Amino acid sequence: MSRPKWINWALAAGAGALALTLLLPTSNRPEPKPSALPDSAHEEHTNKQRLKVQDIKATDLLTRMDAKQHLSIMLEKTATMNAAQVSRYVNDLQSSHEHIRSIHLMNTNGSFNKPFDHASTQGSKLEQQKLQHALNLAKKAANKRQSFESSSFPLGKEKYFVMGQPSKDGKRAVIALFSQNVLNSVEQHQRKNLRMIPYPREGKFKIESVHPDTLNEITVKTGHDNANASHFYENEIVIRFRQDPGERDMRIIKSDLRAQSARKLGYTYVFRSEHMSYKQLHSYFESKWNPLYMEPHYMYLTNDTATEQTDVTIPNDILFSDYQWNLPAIETNRGWNITKGNKDVIVAVVDTGVDMNHPDLKGKLLEGYNVVEPGSQPMDDVGHGTHVAGIIGAIVNNNEGVAGMSWYNKVLPVKVLDNSGSGTTYAVAEGIIWAADHGAKVINMSLGNYADAQFLHDAIKYAFDRDIVLIAATGNDNTERPGYPAAYPEVFAVSATDPDMSKASYSNYGDYVDVMAPGSSIASTYPNNQYAALSGTSMASPHVAALAGLIRSLNPDLTNTEVMDLMRQSVIDLGDPGHDKYFGYGQIDVYKALQAASGNSAPLQFWPQHVRQQMDNTMKKYTQ
């Protein structure tokens, strides 16, 4: 006797629920520390100051280990070279590594070859004496076949250190002077990245600070005030008309505004007036043109702060074991046993650009695009984008620097932020659309603002509708206020954890947060062939972008929503069980996520929507 249909449906639903339950994260996880509530302005500044000092110290260690490697390789490569070949080798090295200021090759009998000085060093008489003293100590150590490393010392406006390294046979040695200007760069970068200072009025336009909800002007006196501030160009406005204006209409508008030109992206225009403020522009367009929406031209800033056993891949990158705590913490090494990525799955970095010549990114970067200066390479003049790109795709197992999360995925640099680390809504939107039109399967956006800009949201929707996974950092003000683009429903929002899997003290939080990822003192690539440790949700976001790239490499049939759902469900659950506003669903687990994504078909929990997607694709083939 056959069962009623409703019984069959009930049994199927029960089986589906059971299968889904088995795929959800288990609760036998380490208990995280309690979530940090909003700090006072003084506490927040103190915490960020401590973190900035920690990043500078970590960067100091990275530069020293990298320097030691360069000296060892130099001794090995120059062992059989003649004088002319040595000169060419050293000149090439110094031209691509500006921080190596002078190199002294010597025999252990005490005789120096002529030093190779890349740039003159300036300093007081006392500072020059300290330099000479350090060189003498290094020479004495070399004669004893010992290595040497000085403490940092000032020389003019920069800090330096001296390092000496003997060859393996003890017959030769090299002594070099290294600039640590990167420490100043990290210090300045993190003051902005962690919002320790009010955003300065940089660039060629006046920048106003407003409350993102009311647009009432506010005074930003401290970094703490940034949590309730959004910045925009006071004499510009973003307009989307109900119907595109014709040539006559545009002439009228330009005449009224005294504007020479207007910028258009998609359906949206940006107008700049020579004599009208934003309020006046808003009143003008509202009364005369009745647009679909009007909003300020916002600025976006960097958001830089299991029982089964498998073999764990330990790459030979020299900074990995000692400094890259972040990759083992999210089970990246175990995940590499499932996939190491695919060159056809492109991850776009919409940011400050990338150092296109960095040796640890060689072969991993596509040509990219420069929105700030079209026609120029998307070169990084800040450091932020290079650091983000290295987290995703620094070359693995090349015995140099750091290891990225993906061995093979290509990185597409899109420069939308200028040398102040900021960019306009127009630039960010253009960068997103350009990346969507040029093959990106994943877009990382380690930038944000507290204002909900419909202009930017249109660009986000454009990319999302093209099946792209959009990842964004939440921000570094330890506030619950939603930051954009992270808080848009089409975007996967990422906050930051510390090494002990607690919420990083600076990290924003809220109901819109999807997951957490490591964000504190993350070692990665930095401009001019260097390495640095930076903190911020900007550093957390590319971990998730890289994971999305790995998932799409392993299972290209998954849609963007399926990839995002899979990452939410394949986590280390932190805080309250399930989703909570401090940890989202939890910290990403690369191995678990790739396990769930493995196979030739969609994971079981995505079967209904996956089948619908496959049917839609089939229908399109026969209806086009």
Side-chain angles (χ1 to χ4, degrees):
M1 181 171 148
S2 62
R3 289 177 295 203
K5 289 185 177 180
W6 68 267
I7 294 179
N8 292 332
W9 282 110
L11 289 172
L18 176 60
L20 182 59
T21 302
L22 294 174
L23 286 163
L24 291 175
T26 58
S27 58
N28 56 338
R29 298 295 187 185
E31 188 67 25
K33 291 184 178 180
S35 302
L37 294 174
D39 297 323
S40 68
H42 175 72
E43 289 173 330
E44 180 181 340
H45 183 80
T46 300
N47 287 336
K48 289 183 175 181
Q49 181 70 21
R50 186 183 303 114
L51 189 63
K52 183 191 71 175
V53 171
Q54 176 182 308
D55 288 346
I56 292 171
K57 288 182 177 178
T59 301
D60 176 45
L61 295 172
L62 294 178
T63 60
R64 290 171 182 272
M65 183 169 282
D66 184 52
K68 185 175 182 179
Q69 183 206 31
H70 280 303
L71 298 190
S72 297
I73 292 174
M74 186 188 308
L75 286 168
E76 184 178 332
K77 288 191 173 182
T78 59
T80 57
M81 292 182 181
N82 59 38
Q85 291 171 326
V86 169
S87 180
R88 282 196 299 271
Y89 172 82
V90 173
N91 286 333
D92 288 344
L93 179 66
Q94 289 185 299
S95 65
S96 60
H97 296 75
E98 294 181 359
H99 58 293
I100 307 179
R101 294 301 171 86
S102 69
I103 296 173
H104 305 255
L105 286 166
M106 60 175 286
N107 298 317
T108 50
N109 60 13
S111 61
F112 270 104
N113 293 333
K114 181 181 178 181
F116 298 92
D117 290 320
H118 179 61
S120 61
T121 54
Q122 297 181 347
S124 67
K125 183 177 180 180
L126 179 60
E127 289 172 342
Q128 292 289 343
Q129 288 174 345
K130 288 182 178 180
L131 168 60
Q132 193 57 51
H133 178 65
L135 291 172
N136 290 336
L137 290 177
K139 182 179 178 182
K140 290 179 181 179
N143 287 329
K144 296 178 181 179
R145 300 186 177 185
Q146 296 174 350
S147 58
F148 173 82
E149 185 177 329
S150 77
S151 57
S152 299
F153 55 87
L155 199 58
K157 296 181 179 180
E158 295 183 26
K159 283 189 174 182
Y160 293 81
F161 68 90
V162 170
M163 180 173 284
Q165 186 75 13
S167 61
K168 290 181 180 179
D169 60 11
K171 295 180 180 179
R172 300 165 62 248
V174 60
I175 296 170
L177 174 66
F178 291 88
S179 165
Q180 288 193 297
N181 191 46
V182 66
L183 302 185
N184 295 332
S185 177
V186 167
E187 196 272 342
Q188 292 300 320
H189 182 279
Q190 289 302 75
R191 279 169 60 82
K192 285 185 181 179
N193 186 41
L194 295 173
R195 307 287 194 270
M196 297 177 68
I197 55 176
Y199 192 77
R201 289 181 172 181
E202 296 183 70
K204 55 187 176 181
F205 302 117
K206 182 180 177 184
I207 299 163
E208 291 292 351
S209 297
V210 294
H211 194 284
D213 296 334
T214 65
L215 296 187
N216 291 333
E217 187 171 346
I218 61 175
T219 300
V220 178
K221 295 181 178 179
T222 70
H224 187 74
D225 295 334
N226 285 309
N228 286 318
S230 288
H231 314 285
F232 69 95
Y233 292 112
E234 71 156 8
N235 56 346
E236 294 194 358
I237 191 168
V238 174
I239 299 289
R240 181 166 179 181
F241 295 99
R242 297 181 187 277
Q243 183 175 350
D244 275 3
E247 291 184 13
R248 180 176 177 275
D249 293 332
M250 287 298 291
R251 285 197 299 269
I252 293 171
I253 293 172
K254 290 177 184 178
S255 175
D256 290 346
L257 303 185
R258 297 183 197 170
Q260 297 297 317
S261 62
R263 289 169 286 172
K264 183 184 179 186
L265 183 65
Y267 304 110
T268 314
Y269 294 79
V270 177
F271 293 97
R272 179 188 174 210
S273 172
E274 298 298 332
H275 70 290
M276 298 169 71
S277 68
Y278 170 76
K279 289 181 180 178
Q280 292 171 320
L281 288 167
H282 188 282
S283 177
Y284 166 78
F285 280 102
E286 184 176 44
S287 62
K288 286 196 172 184
W289 300 97
N290 187 30
L292 186 64
Y293 68 74
M294 300 176 287
E295 62 190 20
H297 193 190
Y298 292 111
M299 301 189 68
Y300 286 79
L301 319 177
T302 61
N303 275 333
D304 307 341
T305 106
T307 57
E308 182 182 352
Q309 297 297 317
T310 61
D311 292 334
V312 176
T313 301
I314 306 296
N316 62 18
D317 304 80
I318 63 165
L319 301 178
F320 178 83
S321 296
D322 291 335
Y323 297 104
Q324 290 191 265
W325 66 271
N326 46 312
L327 299 194
I330 55 175
E331 299 283 14
T332 307
N333 309 57
R334 295 176 72 202
W336 285 335
N337 291 311
I338 300 175
T339 184
K340 294 182 174 71
N342 185 317
K343 65 181 178 62
D344 295 326
V345 177
I346 297 168
V347 180
V349 173
V350 176
D351 212 291
T352 62
V354 177
D355 183 349
M356 306 296 287
N357 302 316
H358 201 292
D360 220 359
L361 295 169
K362 187 177 181 181
K364 296 295 292 293
L365 301 176
L366 298 174
E367 185 175 347
Y369 181 61
N370 189 333
V371 176
V372 180
E373 295 183 18
S376 301
Q377 276 193 312
M379 285 293 289
D380 186 5
D381 44 17
V382 177
H384 187 269
T386 301
H387 199 272
V388 167
I391 294 171
I392 297 169
I395 301 172
V396 185
N397 247 16
N398 64 340
N399 200 35
E400 180 172 341
V402 296
M405 283 183 62
S406 167
W407 293 50
Y408 304 121
N409 292 86
K410 297 289 186 180
V411 174
L412 182 67
V414 183
K415 183 177 177 63
V416 300
L417 306 181
D418 62 22
N419 59 12
S420 70
S422 64
T424 66
T425 317
Y426 189 95
V428 176
E430 183 179 354
I432 292 168
I433 290 173
W434 189 92
D437 289 342
H438 289 80
K441 296 295 185 183
V442 180
I443 296 178
N444 183 80
M445 299 170 288
S446 291
L447 45 80
N449 191 314
Y450 292 110
D452 178 0
Q454 295 182 62
F455 182 21
L456 178 65
H457 199 180
D458 281 347
I460 292 290
K461 291 175 182 176
Y462 179 90
F464 183 81
D465 290 344
R466 281 151 184 77
D467 194 37
I468 294 169
V469 180
L470 296 136
I471 314 288
T474 59
N476 303 321
D477 294 309
N478 190 29
T479 179
E480 194 171 356
R481 174 176 290 280
Y484 298 92
Y488 290 127
E490 299 84 3
V491 177
F492 199 81
V494 184
S495 287
T497 52
D498 286 332
D500 60 359
M501 286 200 291
S502 61
K503 184 183 88 68
S505 60
Y506 53 83
S507 181
N508 287 0
Y509 58 97
D511 291 335
Y512 69 99
V513 175
D514 288 293
V515 297
M516 312 292 282
S520 297
S521 291
I522 305 300
S524 187
T525 47
Y526 209 66
N528 299 317
N529 300 338
Q530 298 184 82
Y531 299 88
L534 299 179
S535 298
T537 57
S538 279
M539 285 61 252
S541 181
H543 287 83
V544 183
L547 173 57
L550 291 171
I551 291 170
R552 302 205 94 168
S553 299
L554 181 66
N555 194 337
D557 289 336
L558 294 177
T559 66
N560 56 358
T561 55
E562 290 172 346
V563 172
M564 290 191 285
D565 284 342
L566 190 150
M567 291 194 295
R568 291 185 188 105
Q569 295 180 19
S570 304
V571 295
I572 302 169
D573 195 1
L574 304 174
D576 296 334
H579 186 273
D580 67 80
K581 69 179 182 179
Y582 293 110
F583 295 96
Y585 286 91
Q587 180 167 279
I588 59 169
D589 186 320
V590 175
Y591 180 66
K592 181 188 287 188
L594 293 179
Q595 271 193 319
S598 62
N600 296 321
S601 59
L604 183 60
Q605 66 265 44
F606 303 136
W607 190 81
Q609 56 264 51
H610 184 74
V611 171
R612 170 61 65 86
Q613 180 71 30
Q614 296 289 71
M615 291 174 63
D616 289 345
N617 291 340
T618 302
M619 290 295 293
K620 287 178 182 178
K621 290 180 182 179
Y622 292 98
T623 56
Q624 288 179 345

